[in-house]
Amino acid sequence: MRIYRKVISFIIILILLFSFIHADSYNIVDDRKYLIKNSYEIVNDGLNTVYNLNIKVLAGADSNSPYQRRLGFSIYPLPTSFFTDEWGNTYGIISVETLLPGQKVEVVVEKSILNGGIFYDDSIYRINADYSEFFKNSLNFKYINPGEKVESDNHQIKSKALELAKTGTTLEKAKKIYDFVNLHIKYDIDPRYANKGALSGFMTGRGVCDEYASLFTALCRAAGIPSRLVAGYWIEQDMEENIGMDVSTERHAWSEFYLPGEGWIPVEPTFIYTYNGKQIPNEYYFANIKSGDRHFINNYVSNQIESDIDVQYSYYKSSGTSLKIISGEESIKLLPKSDNSVLRMNLLDIEGNWAASYIQKLYEAGIVFPKEGNMYKPGDSITRAEFAAYLANAIGLGKTEGNGNYKDVSYENPYAGYIEAASEAGLIQGYNGYFYPEQSITRQDAAVIIMRALKLLNKNIETYTILNFRDKNTIADYAIESVKLVYELNIMKGKPDNLFAPKDFTTRAEAAKIICTFVEELKRP
């Protein structure tokens, strides 16, 4: 598959535009669309009624791994709220007021993903990483801190890490760690060794995929290389389209490490390779995943493993109350190449809104997000951060590391990466080092940003429009040409009584219409 450099490219998905930005150093191979389904039953097997039952269910990882992208998901019953943890895993909270004895709640999670093989070229070996920018975000320290079953602070693991990573570039150090783990542990499902973690794998030299992956991650972290554990599924056999494959026995774990400018690089330390009867390091699965050995990401493993359970519940406990979980379907289906469907939770508050069609198009394409739970809040004013994020999505900039170097945009801000991307592209500007991300954006400022986006994409921006709005004299000098242009292109229009209302705040409904018509303009030759 062709590698796209970091320039803006567009392909049509549904009826809108998307683009995928790949690093120069890797190829994605045979990327296909899949549907992953998990179902559960939470049964009241006690004698008394259960009250105030809250079910926390994993919807999957909002992956920033290059070989998988989540396209959408749905959860039934409809959750009352959602949240994403610091590792990028999304959860829904299902609330049930009462559950009588013998009754059950059936929970179904479906997620559509794009997944492929990946391989890197040798250029990554020349990179000696500088992590100073990465660690400006305090949340990233978790990738070098010890965690449950990732005992990177153990003195023996630290000593081994320093030995292995004594010399070389960052990639060469990670490769030495990979080679050691790949040869050191022998695959053994004996319960004395399986699923015990990094230190057990190091000391006994035995274990399963959890030991291989956790030891690699622990050694990387001890050597100062950010690393994380990935939990999911491994499938090596061919899959037929539209036939769900039972993957309940295919749970697997592997690792990734982070390289600035390249992102998260996968390693599969569990697979062994023999040559002339002798085991040697398996070169094929360091910074590579073969397309015939699909690795489907379910979640990124947190430093407290109990937080990663797919389904958890809490309720008001009293005498005679009891619940149990029964796992149901656990399947992955390969979808036809012609399948353009995307799973999205329904927006509950746009029906009847004048901008519903614009909002729905952008939402289905993953360009705009709900404001709260499943509510888009079309009548609310859109913030500067939200507008920057939605426009960045619309032109394919995506989310990057950073915060635009703005003093008032923390790395923890969920829009920080979008603000960074939009700022680098010149779409947005701050003032004296501040961006004011939570401030609502005025209509004239929205026009200015749209004009910058058109310039960025080399669209013809000549305009001969003469504005006749009654309030044209209230348009700021810096915005006049932008307002002329968006009006001429029908991206923005006036308001009743022949007003443009330049200083009015832009609503989220208006923003959807602006971005949707902007995207349509990009389709024109």
Side-chain angles (χ1 to χ4, degrees), residues 469-489:
F469 295 116
R470 289 198 299 115
D471 57 353
K472 63 182 179 181
N473 292 332
T474 65
I475 301 172
D477 291 343
Y478 70 82
I480 288 177
E481 294 304 312
S482 299
V483 173
K484 286 181 179 179
L485 180 65
V486 297
Y487 179 74
E488 181 173 302
L489 296 178

Side-chain angles (χ1 to χ4, degrees), residues 3 5 23-27 118-127 171 259 262 265 286-288:
I3 303 174
R5 296 185 179 273
D24 294 343
S25 58
Y26 66 78
N27 268 334
I118 186 171
F119 67 90
Y120 288 78
D121 62 40
D122 291 340
S123 66
I124 59 175
Y125 281 90
R126 298 190 292 270
I127 300 172
L171 259 292
L259 192 64
E262 300 295 332
I265 297 177
F286 177 80
N288 291 301

